[in-house]
Amino acid sequence: MYVEDQDTFLNAVCQVNADDYAPQQLLQAIKTIESRLGRQKTIEKGPRNVDLDILLHRNTTFDEENLSVPHKLMLEREFVLRPLCDLIPNETLPAGINPGTFRDHLAILPPSVPPLSSSIPIHPTLPPLTPLSSTRPTHVMAILNLTPDSFSDGGIHPSEPSSLLPTIRSMIVSGATILDLGGQSTRPNAEEVSPDEELSRILPTIQLIRSMPEFANIALSVDTYRASVAAAAITAGANIINDVSAGTSDPEMLPTAARLGCTIILMHMRGTPATMTKLTSYPEGLLPTVASELQARVHAAEKVGIFRWRIILDPGIGFAKNQAQNLELLRGLGELRELEGLHGFPWLVGASRKGFIGKITGVKEASQRVWGTAATVTAAIQGGADVVRVHDVKEMAQVAKMADAIWRV
């Protein structure tokens, strides 16, 4: 029996190198950790402020009065099996104990009400992203390009940070919960600027926003593929790294994100902005290939110490995809989210004003592609996007609210 009248709690499963510890030694080690964290146990199988358990130890069994490994109750707890399946879904208990993979055991458990979800923080005072919650709201990420050459809005924002205040206020009032600041254009064949130039474009604005109490509850994302720029931006007050290269452009990006402990957006792209338009061949199929290539970036991130609950994925609309492939991604986002290794991650979709919208609608001027963008935002939300990245905040926030009312129930 369990105490069911409990506040919401977070649960995680970690795989650690404990080869030098026998089971009882490991138990004493985690009890020491609990004590240092101030554990206070008041009710058996009830609420406590911290609780560490040993689920598995190598591929062995161990049974004494104060410790049983594998954990005797692990297969009846969805809050254990679900995060365990993020790590080793196809593994089994030691031979002779409850046959079947951990994924098999999870599948036969009755679903929790309300459903359990992964939880990805974006800002200390904002609710986390909960991608498995059917009633979750869609976050609107407002694009604030501080570049002279971005494809749609390059050069329209003043270089003096204080002059941006009306724009920032308007974005927030209109419904943005995240501002995405960029100082380096990633449009095809964009000219690359130096890290110092990129920082000179974004840091003053980050510092200004963070100096103003009225913006305290807005999350800031820095759109960069450079580790040094990301580190300076996070130190100045940004919360999220948005890397279109998923750490492939700068080998220091993923270790830097791990050290900073911040949330990072990993986007699918091939090559660079200068070469990506020639890298649109997916002979094994678009969705499975995007999935496998994103999985590789997730594994690379985890390998250097980025926690799974600090990762947001982006299918990369318009990056190494042609028009038909962009449409296939929007059409198949729900399927992509469920492919092997990608379940439980939150997704960002950014199709705002992109070229394929102009080609389909016949609207040449990027800033006028509002209606076409609205259709892509609706499709993204229907497919399960947690964040939509947009230029036209007021209009797309309304679209997101309507789409949420239809599908997030």
Side-chain angles (χ1 to χ4, degrees):
M1 298 295 292
Y2 298 95
V3 176
E4 296 185 355
D5 184 18
Q6 298 189 43
D7 290 334
T8 301
F9 62 88
L10 294 173
N11 203 61
V13 173
C14 298
Q15 187 173 13
V16 300
N17 184 352
D19 288 344
D20 294 335
Y21 289 80
Q24 286 287 4
Q25 291 176 313
L26 184 58
L27 178 64
Q28 291 306 309
I30 67 172
K31 284 184 176 296
T32 299
I33 294 172
E34 288 179 331
S35 178
R36 289 174 179 170
L37 293 175
R39 167 164 175 161
Q40 297 175 350
K41 180 178 178 181
T42 57
I43 304 173
E44 185 68 25
K45 295 183 181 177
R48 67 284 309 269
N49 57 343
V50 61
D51 185 29
L52 301 179
D53 286 321
I54 302 171
L55 299 179
L56 304 162
H57 189 270
R58 306 190 187 100
N59 195 35
T60 61
T61 60
F62 185 86
D63 195 7
E64 291 189 0
E65 183 178 356
N66 66 336
L67 178 64
S68 294
V69 180
H71 195 289
K72 288 184 176 180
L73 302 178
M74 62 182 287
L75 296 184
E76 65 183 54
R77 295 175 170 177
E78 184 187 358
F79 64 82
V80 172
L81 282 180
R82 193 164 292 283
L84 181 64
C85 284
D86 287 338
L87 295 178
I88 48 172
N90 298 315
E91 296 295 319
T92 63
L93 292 175
I97 306 176
N98 286 308
T101 67
F102 295 129
R103 177 183 287 150
D104 295 334
H105 289 291
L106 177 61
I108 64 176
L109 287 180
S112 298
V113 179
L116 299 185
S117 177
S118 46
S119 179
I120 292 80
I122 57 172
H123 184 277
T125 65
L126 290 176
L129 302 180
T130 52
L132 299 181
S133 170
S134 63
T135 60
R136 68 195 186 278
T138 302
H139 284 263
V140 174
M141 173 187 277
I143 299 170
L144 190 59
N145 281 326
L146 304 173
T147 57
D149 58 343
S150 290
F151 82 94
S152 169
D153 56 354
I156 71 167
H157 297 307
S159 58
E160 175 57 40
S162 61
S163 300
L164 284 169
L165 290 177
T167 298
I168 294 169
R169 287 194 180 99
S170 175
M171 288 176 167
I172 296 170
V173 169
S174 296
T177 53
I178 308 169
L179 300 183
D180 191 44
L181 285 71
Q184 165 68 61
S185 175
T186 53
R187 65 174 175 80
N189 301 309
E191 180 181 352
E192 191 167 317
V193 301
S194 70
D196 288 343
E197 175 64 21
E198 186 179 356
L199 278 172
S200 73
R201 294 174 176 179
I202 62 172
L203 275 187
T205 301
I206 294 173
Q207 292 162 346
L208 174 66
I209 293 171
R210 284 299 176 236
S211 72
M212 304 190 68
E214 66 180 291
F215 302 141
N217 295 323
I218 193 77
L220 297 182
S221 168
V222 55
D223 182 3
T224 185
Y225 48 78
R226 291 181 168 126
S228 61
V229 174
I234 296 295
T235 301
N239 310 101
I240 303 166
I241 298 170
N242 183 10
D243 183 0
V244 298
S245 78
T248 60
S249 292
D250 185 341
E252 291 303 311
M253 177 62 89
L254 297 182
T256 297
R259 174 176 56 81
L260 294 169
C262 62
T263 295
I264 184 169
I265 300 166
L266 303 178
M267 193 192 80
H268 179 268
M269 182 176 72
R270 289 171 162 181
T272 68
T275 63
M276 63 184 180
T277 58
K278 300 176 182 178
L279 301 173
T280 59
S281 176
Y282 296 85
E284 302 301 318
L286 179 68
L287 294 184
T289 305
V290 169
S292 65
E293 291 178 3
L294 273 177
Q295 282 181 56
R297 301 317 302 155
V298 169
H299 293 156
E302 291 179 321
K303 187 174 182 179
V304 298
I306 296 176
F307 297 126
R308 195 177 185 89
W309 55 86
R310 281 292 189 178
I311 296 174
I312 299 170
L313 299 179
D314 180 340
I317 301 290
F319 288 80
K321 287 97 181 171
N322 58 33
Q323 177 175 303
Q325 292 162 345
N326 290 326
L327 296 173
E328 184 178 350
L329 279 177
L330 286 168
R331 194 181 304 119
L333 181 61
E335 179 184 347
L336 181 63
R337 292 173 65 239
E338 298 300 323
L339 291 180
E340 180 76 25
L342 301 184
H343 181 73
F345 284 105
W347 288 79
L348 178 149
V349 173
S352 182
R353 298 183 179 179
K354 289 193 173 175
F356 77 101
I357 297 175
K359 290 178 181 178
I360 292 170
T361 61
V363 179
K364 293 182 179 181
E365 181 61 41
S367 64
Q368 300 302 308
R369 297 170 186 163
V370 180
W371 295 111
T373 295
T376 67
V377 167
T378 302
I381 293 172
Q382 182 184 14
D386 301 271
V387 183
V388 288
R389 183 178 181 271
V390 300
H391 298 86
D392 304 291
V393 178
K394 181 179 180 180
E395 295 84 352
M396 296 312 122
Q398 293 178 19
V399 171
K401 283 184 179 180
M402 195 66 217
D404 281 354
I406 296 170
W407 286 294
R408 298 290 163 87
V409 293

